[in-house]
Amino acid sequence: FKRVSSAARMTMLRSEEAVDYEKAREEQMRKNKERLLELKLPTAAAKVGQKKPASTRKATQRGVKRQKKQEPVVARRSMRVRGMTPSGEMVASESAGGKITVENGGFVRYTPSEPAKPTRKTGPVKFESVYEDDEDEATMLELLRGKRGKSGGTTSSSSTSAADLSDLSLAEDRCVKVTKSGAVHVGVLPREDAVVVAAGDKDGRIGLWSIDRTTGAQVNVQVQPHTSYCSGLRWCGESAADLFTCSYDGTCRRLDVSEGVFHEVFSSEDHEFSAFDVCAGG
């Protein structure tokens, strides 16, 4: 028998472990490849990768409503930027009332800046469109207050598989802009009698969109219960029409469609909420 040192024995064991690891890795790669083929992802990726001619069509603005024009804000420019020579006078004192005394005894008055706006809204927030004279505001509330259909599931006897979802496609003419900035959370109202989708964006707005299955008429309204990034959104409650929302502004709210307000469920002045969840019953 040939005596093997402990160092050589450890090297042999590591080699065997490496071989076992490579076998397991190759087996996992094989399973992943089979899964991709099952979902038809390679075919879909090839279609996406095909070079398409540059489109001259402008980005769709469907669903975007016109906002009231505001007066442009005139930016303040220093004397240096404007090419003017400073007077050279030094400030001796400054009072809270807007009075500045210079060293030569003269003084200058100025208008103190307004106090900073609150970082979050407090109390109930009215369900009110961010656009003026928006008729969709009342229409959406009436839709949510209407007759409740069945909720909490689908009437289809067959389940939706991953392969079914892989065959779905998206056409530009079937898109609608629901929020002004990028949508970060989306929730579909779990009711069979109405098609309603809610989306929260990066500025705390909540967009609600609905389409009539028969006539194709659409309702699109944006409200702003929060002042910062929407970090969560969910439909729940016995009627399935209670919309719960959460935001970085430290508030969680619930839409009460009967009153037409977002009630403050919970708030914190010290914390930002990055995620939340609500039980099925609200």
Side-chain angles (χ1 to χ4, degrees), residues 127-145:
F127 185 93
E128 188 174 36
S129 174
V130 297
Y131 301 104
E132 293 186 358
D133 302 324
D134 191 352
E135 297 179 356
D136 285 353
E137 174 188 314
T139 306
M140 178 60 71
L141 277 178
E142 287 301 317
L143 177 63
L144 295 176
R145 291 168 182 162

Side-chain angles (χ1 to χ4, degrees), residues 173-191:
D173 59 351
R174 292 180 176 270
C175 296
V176 61
K177 189 173 181 62
V178 181
T179 57
K180 184 177 180 180
S181 58
V184 290
H185 288 277
V186 177
V188 180
L189 179 66
R191 270 171 49 186

Side-chain angles (χ1 to χ4, degrees), residues 180-220:
K180 184 177 180 180
S181 58
V184 290
H185 288 277
V186 177
V188 180
L189 179 66
R191 270 171 49 186
E192 297 176 2
D193 63 315
V195 178
V196 181
V197 178
D201 72 5
K202 298 178 179 180
D203 297 319
R205 301 183 191 87
I206 304 295
L208 294 104
W209 172 83
S210 176
I211 185 170
D212 189 290
R213 291 190 180 98
T214 305
T215 64
Q218 300 185 45
V219 181
N220 190 358

